[in-house]
Amino acid sequence: EPPPADAFGASAADGLAARAAEPIIEMARTHTTVSVERALLRLAGLAGADSEGRPWANHLVDAVRAQVGLENGVALPVWDALLAGPHGSLVELAEAAARGRVSFRLPGGGDADKAREAARMAARGGISLIDHRRAERDKIIGEVGDPAQPWIYLIVATGDIYEDIPQAQAAAREGADVVAVIRSTGQSLLDFVPEGATREGYAGTYATQENFRLMRAALDDVSRELGRYVRLTNYASGLCMPEIATLAGLERLDMMLNDCMYGIIFRDINPRRTFIDQRFSRQIHARAGIVINTGEDNYLTTADAVDAAHTVVVSQLLNERFGHEAGLSDALLGLGHAFEINPQIPESFRLELAHAQLVRELFPDAPLKYMPPTKHMTGNIFAGYLLDAFFNLAGVMTGQSIILIGMMTEGIHTPWLSDRDLALENVRYVRDAAGGLADDFVPRPDGFIVQRARQVMSETIELLERINDDGLLRAIGEGTFGVTRRPADGGKGLDGVIERADDYFNPAIEILDTEDPHDHTEQEVTA
């Protein structure tokens, strides 16, 4: 029998991670951001943009902030103005506010009570629609069937949603279980969500509500054709995490890249801003039944995969704590890691098995997402194809849940459809040939793999102790994760952070904080 995970110090590591996360959780509970406030308006049904593409949600939040501030939240001023008239809808109010024709106030007494009740009803309507979408997913899976894990995860992104759709359907027919529509380069730095169907993304396709709707409908069609549910993934990281998470819930996405550390390290987004945004976005994902994917794999593209292995585990433990606090169950925690060890290192595959098996045992109920080799891919497509096969084998041997397939030419150009087909053939062969190999793979208790796992856990606990002494924000500022230094008061988006007043009111947070997301899923959904 393999040693239990706690033999590596898992309980101590869990406790240290919970303590390290607590100041960040407290910060998120006592602050809001412009994107959190805009997400409330989107939940309440506000959509659309002006002739220049600026969303009405941005216009309305900016107008409220300019006149009365956001310390008390956007809800009271907005619904007070709606009740006072003459604007009959949020869109009409936003249009008037954009022209400077609305005077907002913080109501008191009975007027405040009326505004609170109206805002609660509006927020409840949006959350009820998310509940409906979650039940709809369950109904379709019951009708067409759910593929067995590991789910094969494949990226599609041409920049044109109408080109993405046939490529995604073709990938599903070749065996993909999860289709990820990667975002256009730089969208994570936009402090607004683009509107409508888009055809001009660069190295990816814009994440918009309409693009979500179009792709989900297309994948529903191919799911019924194939007799298995094909999941849809997009990206919530960036300056609009709460809004994109909300739109994903409303349009029934199934997975979302959701890890603010990616935005901090690789996009220089302010740590305070994005940790606050992350909490709300994960609450929405919990309510919607959306599996989050975390981005620990990215650390190993800038740091050494052997030397920095423990930073991946530290981040996973922190993400587990942040996820649980936001209401995510283990079944929704798609914690990430990657096959990024230099293949020239002796025993590289044994080292990789040690890392992958350790993560699997630390998080036995999480749908782990395993990322393919990228850092050490070269123009030698034959060597790349072999390396991807080793990655697929490691994933099957260690029981990974979601395997993002590697493609042999992605190191030199955007892969062709034929490259995707070969990649799918590779993973299908390994998965079918290996079968239940994970059941037979039991590392020797005193062997290389177990000893390496013990070393990684020892370094994990040591780092968590240091983070507890210094604070997580300081650790990020010192380049602990992914080498890059990101100070707490630097980066993009800090001006969008607002400390909540004592009587801050946000009906969406009120609902999400007080209700169990599993208690409000509709039991029946009509077609």
Side-chain angles (χ1 to χ4, degrees), residues 41-84:
L41 299 179
R42 290 183 180 277
L43 265 178
L46 181 58
D50 65 19
S51 59
E52 296 182 352
R54 183 168 179 76
W56 295 124
N58 287 66
H59 278 295
L60 194 48
V61 167
D62 290 350
V64 171
R65 186 177 191 180
Q67 293 188 34
V68 298
L70 294 176
E71 292 79 7
N72 298 87
V74 77
L76 285 180
V78 164
W79 271 272
D80 175 65
L82 276 177
L83 291 172

Side-chain angles (χ1 to χ4, degrees), residues 59-366:
H59 278 295
L60 194 48
V61 167
D62 290 350
V64 171
R65 186 177 191 180
Q67 293 188 34
V68 298
L70 294 176
E71 292 79 7
N72 298 87
V74 77
L76 285 180
V78 164
W79 271 272
D80 175 65
L82 276 177
L83 291 172
H87 313 292
S89 69
L90 284 172
V91 171
E92 291 178 12
L93 182 68
E95 290 174 345
R99 295 193 297 269
R101 297 179 181 175
V102 182
S103 294
F104 294 101
R105 64 168 185 158
L106 280 174
D111 288 343
D113 292 338
K114 292 176 183 177
R116 281 192 191 91
E117 189 56 34
R120 285 189 182 108
M121 288 181 61
R124 174 66 67 186
I127 290 174
S128 294
L129 181 54
I130 288 176
D131 292 341
H132 178 84
R133 295 299 189 209
R134 180 174 185 165
E136 188 177 61
R137 179 193 301 115
D138 292 340
K139 180 174 184 288
I140 295 174
I141 290 174
E143 293 171 350
V144 304
D146 203 9
Q149 291 182 351
W151 292 331
I152 300 174
Y153 178 118
L154 184 143
I155 289 173
V156 171
T158 67
D160 181 342
I161 187 63
Y162 294 106
E163 291 294 330
D164 291 343
I165 285 171
Q167 291 202 18
Q169 291 179 319
R173 293 185 183 106
E174 289 298 316
D177 300 309
V178 183
V179 173
V181 184
I182 196 170
R183 281 191 307 194
S184 181
T185 296
Q187 184 178 348
S188 60
L189 299 180
L190 300 179
D191 213 343
F192 66 94
V193 181
E195 187 73 19
T198 63
R199 311 196 69 169
E200 297 180 345
Y202 178 76
T205 302
Y206 285 102
T208 75
Q209 184 170 7
E210 179 63 6
N211 286 349
F212 290 172
R213 186 190 69 79
L214 289 169
M215 185 60 81
R216 182 63 268 170
L219 292 182
D220 282 348
D221 288 343
V222 81
S223 295
R224 294 186 175 95
E225 172 193 326
L226 298 173
R228 58 181 171 84
Y229 187 68
V230 181
R231 285 170 167 80
L232 175 59
T233 299
N234 212 286
Y235 296 65
S237 57
L239 287 171
C240 294
M241 287 182 83
E243 295 170 89
I244 293 179
T246 297
L247 298 178
L250 293 171
E251 299 299 337
R252 191 172 35 90
L253 270 67
D254 307 286
M255 291 185 190
M256 293 294 284
L257 279 290
N258 182 296
D259 186 353
C260 70
M261 290 288 283
Y262 172 81
I264 293 168
I265 295 170
F266 297 96
R267 293 293 180 265
D268 195 21
I269 294 174
N270 175 259
R272 299 181 193 277
R273 164 71 179 268
T274 193
F275 270 118
I276 298 163
D277 283 345
Q278 178 179 265
R279 181 176 187 268
F280 183 92
S281 67
R282 289 185 174 184
Q283 288 185 293
I284 291 289
H285 288 334
R287 189 75 181 217
I290 291 174
V291 175
I292 69 164
N293 294 162
T294 61
E296 285 82 7
D297 56 282
N298 290 287
Y299 305 161
L300 304 184
T301 63
T302 52
D304 182 81
V306 177
D307 294 342
H310 63 292
T311 69
V312 168
V313 179
V314 167
S315 182
Q316 289 168 332
L317 289 164
L318 290 168
N319 260 317
E320 180 186 47
R321 173 59 188 141
F322 289 134
H324 284 165
E325 191 277 332
L328 289 164
S329 65
D330 285 343
L332 299 179
L333 290 176
L335 303 173
H337 60 129
F339 189 101
E340 291 286 16
I341 295 175
N342 185 339
Q344 302 304 316
I345 294 175
E347 311 277 14
S348 64
F349 190 65
R350 293 175 85 189
L351 287 167
E352 195 61 66
L353 288 177
H355 298 175
Q357 184 67 20
L358 172 63
V359 173
R360 179 73 280 171
E361 293 186 20
L362 286 173
F363 309 102
D365 300 317

